[in-house]
């Protein structure tokens, strides 16, 4: 019944392409999307071996999150486990493999949000913690605060008995070379970071709860305690059971200025009652001139096309402002997807209905 009502209403309000989509889609019980950064990622710049390595790590992270969701676990647990795998992998700019600051140190940022109660935790400019996402989560779960920074956050991490690492743990030869090149002025900061390697995950679990998380080393050569969007709730990360879960990657200053993650969720949340009203107007009248049925929010969802359009609109505004990058999204209706304005984005998505893909370049699914 729900499917029939939805399909009919979608057809009336959005046209026949949306109808086709609604007809073949049973709302997934769970869904997950992940990213490992966006940027100038094209086939000329990536060796076949790098391509294979990145895809296999993304697939491993996606599989770990999917398994938790398939077993009935929570969205927040799924994204935490997924992000830890990407943090531990040296190919990404998070945890091991984080970029270096101007002072040749690593200052990591991370955030996490649970859409079921809007609880959130974030850390900025930290080091010493093996998995910054666990520290963000500890802030959320075990402190009265949302955001901790620097030495205080490091101290909180030790008090929480999270795994500690020495300051050279994060370093890789590739990241060291990047900072040396930048400091020798061989390349500008923009060139060095044209391939952002921040990681993130968003999910909807089988209870209908949403979660989002992001982890990064920030921008190569950052100075003066610069903090990007990744640890900022509403900019790089947001989750709300009523609308969506978002994790971003790209030129953080622009994501902060637009409040990208919150903006997308807000547009989805505000669009919903409007779309229901439109659909209600299309409901056939009965003999006495009244609507033959009343649409309830619980039997209505935005179509894939409409969610994608909202995400694309916000990323277009980001681009117009001068920002590069992208986001991943999950919705309460089981959709999982991406929007980005760069040539590529390391990404993957999976749903309980068997959809599963890992992609790198812009022309892939
Ligand atoms: N958004 C991050 C920042 O500005 C960088 C990235 O996504 O790689 O710190």
């Amino acid at each position: 019944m729900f499917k029939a009502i939805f399909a009919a209403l979608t057809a009336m309000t959005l046209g026949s392409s949306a109808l086709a989509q609604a007809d073949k889609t049973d709302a997934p019980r769970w869904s997950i999307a992940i990213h490992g950064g966006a940027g100038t990622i094209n086939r000329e710049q990536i060796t076949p071996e790098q391509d294979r390595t990145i895809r296999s790590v993304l697939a491993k992270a996606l599989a770990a999150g999917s398994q938790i969701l398939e077993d009935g676990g929570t969205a927040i647990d799924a994204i935490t486990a997924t992000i830890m795998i990407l943090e531990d992998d040296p190919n990404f700019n998070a945890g091991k493999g984080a970029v270096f600051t101007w002072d040749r140190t690593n200052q990591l940022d991370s955030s996490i949000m649970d859409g079921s109660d809007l609880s959130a935790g974030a850390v900025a400019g930290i080091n010493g913690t093996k998995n910054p996402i666990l520290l963000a989560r500890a802030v959320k779960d075990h402190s009265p605060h949302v955001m901790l920074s620097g030495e205080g956050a490091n101290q909180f991490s030790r008090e929480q008995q999270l795994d500690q690492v020495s300051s050279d743990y994060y370093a890789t030869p590739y990241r060291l070379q990047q900072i040396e090149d930048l400091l020798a002025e061989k390349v500008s900061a923009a060139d060095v970071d044209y391939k952002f390697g921040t990681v993130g995950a968003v999910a909807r679990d089988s209870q209908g709860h949403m979660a989002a998380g992001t982890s990064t080393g920030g921008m190569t050569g950052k100075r003066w305690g610069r903090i990007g969007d990744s640890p900022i709730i509403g900019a790089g990360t947001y989750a709300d059971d009523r609308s969506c879960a978002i994790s971003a990657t790209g030129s953080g200053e622009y994501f902060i200025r637009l409040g990208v993650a919150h903006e997308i969720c807000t547009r989805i949340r505000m669009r919903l009652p409007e779309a229901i009203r439109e659909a209600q107007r299309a409901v056939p009248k009965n003999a006495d001139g009244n609507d033959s049925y009343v649409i309830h929010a619980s039997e209505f969802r935005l179509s894939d096309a409409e969610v994608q359009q909202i995400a694309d609109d916000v990323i277009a505004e980001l681009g117009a402002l001068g920002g590069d990058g992208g986001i991943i999204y999950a919705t309460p209706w089981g959709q999982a997807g991406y929007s980005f304005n760069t040539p590529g984005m390391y990404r993957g998505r999976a749903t309980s209905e068997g959809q599963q893909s890992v992609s790198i370049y812009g022309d892939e699914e």
Side-chain angles (χ1 to χ4, degrees):
M1 176 65 171
F2 162 70
K3 253 175 71 180
I5 293 176
F6 175 68
L9 296 174
T10 313
M12 285 183 256
T13 56
L14 294 170
S16 55
S17 63
L19 170 64
Q21 207 165 34
D23 264 347
K24 65 173 191 265
T25 315
D26 273 321
R29 280 177 293 114
W30 58 259
S31 59
I32 182 167
I34 66 172
H35 72 78
T40 308
I41 302 169
N42 49 44
R43 290 183 175 81
E44 292 75 57
Q45 281 162 315
I46 293 183
T47 65
E49 194 189 332
Q50 284 171 327
D51 183 297
R52 270 195 303 279
T53 306
I54 296 282
R55 283 179 204 270
S56 89
V57 183
L58 289 173
K60 183 176 151 197
L62 194 61
S66 299
Q67 191 61 53
I68 291 171
L69 294 166
E70 181 60 27
D71 292 345
T74 61
I76 197 99
D77 282 346
I79 61 141
T80 304
T82 302
I83 291 171
M84 283 176 71
I85 290 172
L86 298 171
E87 284 180 337
D88 289 345
D89 188 281
N91 289 290
F92 301 98
N93 172 19
K96 186 158 187 66
V99 299
F100 280 85
T101 66
W102 188 262
D103 303 316
R104 295 187 180 86
T105 62
N106 301 107
Q107 305 262 304
L108 300 104
D109 303 332
S110 183
S111 64
I112 195 163
M113 185 160 187
D114 186 336
S116 68
D117 59 2
L118 304 186
S119 61
V123 288
I126 63 132
N127 56 41
T129 300
K130 179 167 176 280
N131 290 105
I133 194 70
L134 289 182
L135 185 49
R137 181 140 182 200
V139 172
K140 179 180 101 58
D141 292 342
H142 305 301
S143 89
H145 307 297
V146 168
M147 192 173 201
L148 300 181
S149 68
E151 212 23 69
N154 295 338
Q155 184 188 334
F156 180 69
S157 175
R158 293 188 294 271
E159 286 174 14
Q160 289 294 308
Q161 300 184 333
L162 298 182
D163 269 4
Q164 302 294 306
V165 288
S166 63
S167 57
D168 59 0
Y169 164 79
Y170 307 108
T172 63
Y174 174 64
R175 296 300 185 196
L176 281 164
Q177 191 59 50
Q178 276 189 321
I179 188 62
E180 292 312 326
D181 286 352
L182 184 130
L183 293 176
E185 292 188 272
K186 286 194 209 144
V187 284
S188 71
D191 289 333
V192 168
D193 263 323
Y194 228 53
K195 220 188 299 169
F196 308 106
T198 291
V199 307
V202 295
R204 183 238 198 242
D205 63 32
S206 49
Q207 303 299 307
H209 297 312
M210 321 280 305
T214 310
S215 184
T216 189
M219 304 277 251
T220 300
K222 63 185 183 181
R223 306 168 82 172
W224 309 303
R226 179 265 185 191
I227 307 290
D229 60 314
S230 308
I232 297 185
I233 297 298
T237 300
Y238 203 74
D240 181 344
D241 280 5
R242 299 170 297 176
S243 53
C244 69
I246 302 282
S247 170
T249 178
S251 42
E253 281 68 11
Y254 296 91
F255 284 78
I256 295 173
R257 288 165 62 194
L258 269 183
V260 166
H262 187 262
E263 178 71 14
I264 294 172
C265 289
T266 300
R267 288 191 194 189
I268 289 176
R269 184 161 58 84
M270 304 312 277
R271 174 68 191 135
L272 200 57
E274 190 190 5
I276 293 173
R277 276 195 300 277
E278 282 170 17
Q280 187 67 48
R281 280 199 289 277
V283 164
K285 306 282 180 208
N286 56 25
D288 49 18
N290 296 320
D291 290 353
S292 51
Y293 50 83
V294 175
I295 299 162
H296 189 264
S298 64
E299 57 176 11
F300 194 86
R301 60 187 159 113
L302 297 186
S303 71
D304 295 3
E306 213 168 352
V307 171
Q308 188 65 48
Q309 189 62 53
I310 289 170
D312 290 348
D313 286 349
V314 175
I315 293 303
E317 286 180 27
L318 177 88
L321 210 55
D324 291 323
I327 58 98
I328 51 173
Y329 65 77
T331 72
W333 312 289
Q335 292 129 334
Y338 335 98
S339 181
F340 52 98
N341 66 2
T342 45
M345 176 155 103
Y346 298 131
R347 62 200 188 277
R349 60 177 157 181
T351 72
S352 55
E353 299 308 294
Q355 181 186 34
Q356 191 177 350
S357 63
V358 162
S359 313
I360 295 180
Y361 311 108
D363 58 11
E364 294 178 89
E365 192 238 334

